[in-house]
Amino acid sequence: MALGFFDGVHLGHQSLLKKTKRIAEKDNLKFTVMTFDPHPNDVIKLEKDWRYLTPLALKIERLAAIGVDKLFVIKFNLSFASLLPSDFIKQYVLGLQAKHIVVGFDFTFGNKAQGTADYLQKMSKNNPFDVTVISKQVHNDEKISSTLIRKIVRDGDVHLVPYYMGHHFQIKGVVYSSNRHKHEKKKNMEIYTGNKYILPAPGVYSVEIKNRNRTCHGLFIRYGSSRRNDEISGQIIEMLKGGVVEEVTVKFLKQIHFESESQCSSNFKEVMK
């Protein structure tokens, strides 16, 4: 069983999960994962507007794609956060009959994060489970972490994300094509992503848009204002008829930078036609 929050299911997480899968196959065990929801910062630091690289539904999709046999999603609340590390092991390791635990080198658990990878290894000596600890994964001498990737996205440097996640940053959103837009022949439509996803800095982004059966390239206009919804354009969007609501997946390829303010203004107007 792999333990972790796994926001983004980035390359560091993937290394840990693949190791867990290999151990499970070798020992003829189920490949299981335990994760938590919501983020501990949401509960402990009361950061109620916490944004995710992969909200829970998308994280579940990513874990399923890796081949997880069974997933435990533990509700992270104050009661869970206050568990003694020894009680965590009793309930969630021994209680689930886990035979082999796999964690990252910096994994912590239990009251005030007193439980560590070293503590797990120590406890395994007198209990019927083994522990494997995955070392730090780096790129350009930087630790691959969800915190770092969130900063990269927030800064608008979405072209760097594949070096840390193994693929482009993507979100799911709902596009609504209103009759007003249809009459105006407007090619850009508003996109609603809810309040769970982290989103890149304001600007214009080259994106890949996918719905159930089509994929195309387009533009994502990020306003970053509570008074104006973000907009998206592309062939799929242009095909929507008035009143249609459709979920799309948006893959961010790169931010489009303009050489001068006047070029930015003229190009932005062209984008918005």
Side-chain angles (χ1 to χ4, degrees):
M1 183 165 67
L3 303 181
F5 194 81
F6 302 121
D7 187 27
V9 196
H10 56 59
L11 287 173
H13 297 148
Q14 290 170 39
S15 174
L16 187 155
L17 292 163
K18 286 173 183 175
K19 178 66 174 178
T20 310
K21 188 176 184 179
R22 287 196 297 272
I23 292 170
E25 289 171 347
K26 179 175 71 74
D27 295 342
N28 197 28
L29 299 169
K30 282 191 180 296
F31 171 27
T32 62
V33 171
M34 179 182 291
T35 191
F36 314 96
D37 188 72
H39 194 279
N41 283 10
D42 195 330
V43 175
I44 297 170
K45 297 183 180 179
L46 299 178
E47 296 181 26
K48 294 301 180 185
D49 61 344
W50 186 266
R51 303 296 179 97
Y52 299 85
L53 294 165
T54 48
L56 183 59
L58 182 56
K59 180 163 63 174
I60 290 171
E61 277 185 29
R62 293 273 165 83
L63 293 172
I66 291 171
V68 173
D69 293 316
K70 184 175 280 191
L71 175 66
F72 298 100
V73 180
I74 307 300
K75 183 174 182 180
F76 196 97
N77 53 29
L78 290 174
S79 174
F80 178 78
S82 65
L83 275 178
L84 292 174
S86 57
D87 289 334
F88 176 91
I89 288 173
K90 269 184 212 169
Q91 292 182 42
Y92 295 100
V93 178
L94 299 175
L96 294 173
Q97 297 182 313
K99 301 300 181 188
H100 200 127
I101 299 298
V102 185
V103 295
F105 74 101
D106 55 355
F107 177 73
T108 59
F109 62 97
N111 188 36
K112 297 181 180 176
Q114 295 174 71
T116 62
D118 286 343
Y119 178 81
L120 273 172
Q121 287 182 315
K122 179 182 173 184
M123 293 295 287
S124 72
K125 291 175 182 176
N126 297 315
N127 283 290
F129 63 88
D130 295 315
V131 174
T132 293
V133 179
I134 304 299
S135 59
K136 178 168 65 173
Q137 307 292 304
V138 299
H139 175 73
N140 282 348
D141 297 325
E142 284 188 291
K143 173 187 152 187
I144 297 174
S145 70
S146 303
T147 301
L148 175 61
I149 300 168
R150 279 193 286 268
K151 182 181 184 304
I152 289 169
V153 172
R154 279 199 179 103
D155 289 347
D157 296 325
V158 293
H159 63 288
L160 298 177
V161 170
Y163 295 110
Y164 300 90
M165 290 184 78
H167 50 77
H168 290 283
F169 173 65
Q170 67 181 46
I171 63 172
K172 289 190 177 185
V174 174
V175 175
Y176 179 72
S177 172
S178 70
N179 286 320
R180 175 176 62 82
H181 285 162
K182 183 184 178 185
H183 294 324
E184 292 173 358
K185 295 184 179 178
K186 184 171 180 175
K187 293 182 179 180
N188 293 1
M189 300 300 170
E190 294 176 357
I191 180 166
Y192 304 89
T193 57
N195 60 359
K196 290 293 186 183
Y197 279 104
I198 186 170
L199 289 170
V204 181
Y205 294 85
S206 171
V207 296
E208 184 182 280
I209 309 163
K210 185 177 182 181
N211 66 357
R212 286 167 296 177
N213 48 24
R214 290 180 63 88
T215 301
C216 75
H217 282 84
L219 294 173
F220 188 101
I221 301 95
R222 170 85 174 123
Y223 291 107
S225 167
S226 59
R227 295 188 302 274
R228 189 162 190 181
N229 292 313
D230 299 327
E231 295 189 1
I232 192 168
S233 67
Q235 192 177 21
I236 290 171
I237 309 305
E238 292 163 24
M239 289 174 62
L240 291 178
K241 296 178 180 178
V244 171
V245 175
E246 183 148 358
E247 184 181 70
V248 295
T249 298
V250 182
K251 183 186 295 183
F252 287 83
L253 306 178
K254 64 179 180 179
Q255 185 173 8
I256 299 174
H257 295 283
F258 301 108
E259 292 177 6
S260 66
E261 189 174 334
S262 60
Q263 186 194 5
C264 174
S265 177
S266 61
N267 277 273
F268 196 76
K269 285 176 183 174
E270 186 64 30
V271 166
M272 294 303 295
K273 281 183 181 177

